[in-house]
Every structure is written in structure tokens, then in C-alpha cells.
């Protein structure tokens, strides 16, 4: 495939187009939640481009099946997988120990796994399910893998999967765990997605000096298993809120922004930003269909979230 004009990348750009002409040989990549959907497509494209990819999932059987499919699809030998349960801190610690023991460094970490608009619940450790899984689980994982990221010979990137749903809520520091306020599944999801952006902002501030940069991405609206909790009434409500919000992408187009954030040469040395449609998004506090909210890039909020997260998981970042 000839290399396309990267300036023309947009909403319909696919993973293979992003990686056309790029050689990821020798790069070690970890992608969470990659037994299907966007994570699987991200793994497929990056393995095909030469990366040594490790995927995670909640079920050993699903991980093994996905690794077998990836090997069949790509012919890549450097594929592996492991069980990672983000809704239990001990599960995160167990996976991180296994990964660090088997790998000297990590070039790319893509925090792809997540839950969306699920019924109210708690993780094993008592956190609201969406905040605990989407943010705190990945926060702890990244903390435990930080030495491997810093050890990457040519610098490393961390990609945090956020969403345009961050428009729905900032992090509500006075009751982030829904101990007192009424639960709204979309507001809770939005809060967790804002946390993903703030995490990238503060991680980049802390580790940029060591060559580690962090970026948050909005993949777009894609039909995947992430939407397993949604019914027709949910799509109708979104459509009523903003008629232009439900513009669907294919899975290869949806995964393209993650791959772009992880690999684009033009993003070398770039971090603490939010990407959509394979470009850095503009700050926009009005639109419901594009842009990143000011509160999601607020450095003071990012530092406050960081302190909250360290206290919640009981682990200080290196």
C-alpha cells in the first residue's frame, strides 16, 4: 500500500491507512480490552506493521481465541495475551507483575478497555463501576508499568481511550464515587471519560522529561460490544440530544485514531492533548459533536485527580 497524504486524514481514515509506510518492527505494544472490537482491530493493524503486540481480556479463553485469530490474520509471531480484570486492584497488580517479569520495556500502552452506560454498581474495591474500571484500573496499571515505559529506548507513548461523552460531565470531585448523588449512567460515563483526558494531561507533565508522552483519543461512534448495556431508548435519547451525534464509523475507522496517536511520526514529543478523527481536537465548550472541553485539559483538575487516584488505589506513581 502506498503511503497516503497524512494531512488528509479524517473521520473515515482506517488503521491500515494510518500505518501505510510505517515500520513498527521492534516496538513492544500492550493493548487492554483487545479480544474484540476496536482493541482487536488496533492489535491486528499494529501487528501487521511489525509490532510485538500483547493483548488483554477478562477471560483466558477469549484471550487465547483472539491471539489465535490475530496470528491467523497477520502471520505475526510476536503476539501474546494475558488476563486483566480492571475492576479489581489485585487483578491489575497480578497482571502487571506478570508483564514486567516477561518484558524489559514497553514502547506503547493503549488503555483501550472500558465499560459504558452500565447499571449502577461497584467494583471489587468499592468504586463506582465506570470510574473504577475506565479510570482507576488503568491509572494503577500505568503506574505499575511506568518503569517499563521509561525504559523504552526511543521514548514511549500512552494512549488513553476517552470519548466525546466527556462533554456530559467534568470530574465531580465532591462526589466522584456516587456516594451521595443520584446515579445517572451517562453522567457517570462522561465523568470517567473526562478522567481519562485529565490522566493523560498529568501523566505527560510527569513523564515527558523521560521521553514518555500521553494522549487521549475519541474513537468515534462505533457498534461494538462496548454498547452491550444500551437499548433502543438510549440511542433515541442521544439522537434527541444532538441529531448529528450518532454518525457511525466502521471499526477500522474507529480504531484509526488510537493507532494514529500511538504511532504518528508527526506526534513525536507531543502529549497532554485530545485527538479525534486522526487530528488534535480544538478546545470547544459549546459543540456536542466535536472538540474537547476546557475542564478536561485543566492542569489543576488533572493534578487533583492524580492525588485522588493515588489515594484510592493505594499506590503512589513512581
Amino acid at each position: 500500500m502506498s503511503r497516503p497524504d497524512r494531512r488528509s486524514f479524517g473521520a473515515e481514515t482506517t488503521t491500515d491507512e494510518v500505518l501505510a509506510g510505517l515500520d513498527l518492527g521492534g516496538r513492544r505494544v500492550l493493548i487492554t480490552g483487545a479480544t474484540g472490537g476496536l482493541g482487536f482491530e488496533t492489535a491486528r493493524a499494529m501487528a501487521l506493521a511489525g509490532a510485538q503486540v500483547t493483548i488483554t481480556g477478562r477471560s483466558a479463553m477469549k484471550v487465547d481465541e483472539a491471539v489465535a485469530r490475530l496470528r491467523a490474520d497477520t502471520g505475526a509471531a510476536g503476539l501474546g495475551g494475558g488476563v486483566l480484570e480492571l475492576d479489581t486492584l489485585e487483578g491489575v497488580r497480578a497482571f502487571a507483575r506478570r508483564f514486567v517479569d516477561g518484558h524489559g520495556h514497553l514502547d506503547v500502552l493503549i488503555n483501550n478497555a472500558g465499560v459504558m452506560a452500565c447499571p449502577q454498581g461497584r467494583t471489587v474495591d468499592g468504586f463506582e463501576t465506570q470510574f473504577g474500571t475506565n479510570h482507576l484500573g488503568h491509572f494503577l496499571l500505568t503506574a505499575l508499568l511506568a518503569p517499563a515505559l521509561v525504559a523504552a529506548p526511543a521514548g514511549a507513548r500512552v494512549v488513553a481511550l476517552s470519548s466525546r461523552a466527556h462533554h456530559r460531565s467534568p470530574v465531580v470531585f465532591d462526589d466522584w464515587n456516587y456516594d451521595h448523588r443520584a446515579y445517572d449512567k451517562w453522567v457517570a460515563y462522561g465523568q470517567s471519560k473526562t478522567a481519562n483526558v485529565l490522566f493523560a494531561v498529568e501523566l505527560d507533565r510527569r513523564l515527558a522529561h523521560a521521553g514518555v508522552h500521553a494522549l487521549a483519543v475519541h474513537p468515534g461512534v462505533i457498534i461494538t460490544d462496548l454498547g452491550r448495556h444500551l437499548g433502543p431508548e438510549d440511542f433515541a435519547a442521544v439522537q434527541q440530544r444532538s441529531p448529528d451525534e450518532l454518525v457511525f464509523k466502521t471499526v477500522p475507522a474507529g480504531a484509526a485514531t488510537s493507532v494514529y496517536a500511538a504511532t504518528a511520526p508527526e506526534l513525536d514529543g507531543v502529549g497532554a492533548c485530545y485527538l479525534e478523527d486522526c487530528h488534535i481536537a480544538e478546545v470547544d465548550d459549546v459543540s456536542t459533536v466535536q472538540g474537547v472541553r476546557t475542564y478536561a485539559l485543566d492542569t489543576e483538575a488533572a493534578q487533583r485527580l492524580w492525588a485522588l487516584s493515588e489515594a484510592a488505589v493505594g499506590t503512589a506513581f513512581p
Side-chain angles (χ1 to χ4, degrees):
M1 181 185 295
S2 61
R3 186 167 179 175
D5 181 358
R6 303 177 70 83
R7 294 170 298 179
S8 67
F9 285 175
E12 297 181 0
T13 300
T14 67
T15 51
D16 289 334
E17 290 170 337
V18 168
L19 291 173
L22 297 183
D23 180 5
L24 303 185
R27 294 201 202 178
R28 189 165 289 148
V29 178
L30 174 61
I31 307 170
T32 68
T35 59
L38 298 183
F40 184 89
E41 170 61 17
T42 301
R44 182 205 64 80
M46 296 185 77
L48 200 59
Q52 299 175 31
V53 178
T54 300
I55 66 169
T56 79
R58 293 181 56 85
S59 158
M61 182 179 70
K62 287 186 176 181
V63 170
D64 290 344
E65 290 174 350
V67 169
R69 284 190 291 131
L70 286 168
R71 287 175 178 159
D73 289 349
T74 66
L79 284 159
V83 174
L84 170 61
E85 298 175 291
L86 287 162
D87 58 356
T88 160
L89 299 181
E90 183 48 43
V92 174
R93 292 189 177 98
F95 172 83
R97 284 193 296 268
R98 294 192 300 269
F99 186 86
V100 170
D101 286 346
H103 304 84
H105 73 274
L106 179 61
D107 300 287
V108 178
L109 170 61
I110 302 180
N111 290 331
N112 170 82
V115 292
M116 179 176 73
C118 57
Q120 185 169 18
R122 298 282 174 180
T123 68
V124 171
D125 303 284
F127 306 127
E128 185 276 313
T129 299
Q130 297 190 79
F131 193 86
T133 303
N134 297 344
H135 170 60
L136 290 175
H138 280 125
F139 176 89
L140 177 60
L141 176 68
T142 309
L144 297 173
L145 297 181
L149 291 163
V150 170
R157 295 189 194 181
V158 177
V159 179
L161 268 286
S162 181
S163 168
R164 189 175 296 142
H166 83 274
H167 290 185
R168 290 178 176 265
S169 178
V171 173
V172 180
F173 287 103
D174 291 340
D175 193 18
W176 59 271
N177 203 35
Y178 279 87
D179 293 320
H180 306 293
R181 57 183 166 139
Y183 182 73
D184 180 306
K185 64 183 181 181
W186 283 112
V187 173
Y189 181 62
Q191 173 181 245
S192 74
K193 295 291 100 179
T194 294
N196 293 148
V197 187
L198 291 172
F199 166 74
V201 169
E202 180 62 6
L203 179 64
D204 194 84
R205 187 186 74 83
R206 287 172 174 259
L207 291 187
H209 73 279
V212 179
H213 289 282
L215 310 96
V217 306
H218 166 54
V221 182
I222 309 100
I223 298 296
T224 70
D225 191 48
L226 181 66
R228 60 188 175 275
H229 296 291
L230 304 183
E233 69 279 3
D234 292 298
F235 290 101
V238 172
Q239 189 72 29
Q240 184 176 14
R241 178 176 181 265
S242 175
D244 298 321
E245 195 168 350
L246 287 182
V247 177
F248 291 96
K249 289 185 177 185
T250 65
V251 170
T257 303
S258 295
V259 173
Y260 180 77
T263 65
E266 56 267 34
L267 294 178
D268 285 346
V270 176
C273 56
Y274 169 95
L275 286 75
E276 59 188 5
D277 296 337
C278 296
H279 67 268
I280 296 175
E282 299 290 333
V283 176
D284 191 326
D285 289 328
V286 177
S287 175
T288 61
V289 297
Q290 65 183 9
V292 58
R293 294 295 192 248
T294 300
Y295 56 68
L297 298 177
D298 183 83
T299 56
E300 290 186 5
Q303 292 174 38
R304 187 176 180 185
L305 176 65
W306 197 274
L308 179 161
S309 303
E310 286 187 330
V313 304
T315 298
F317 216 89

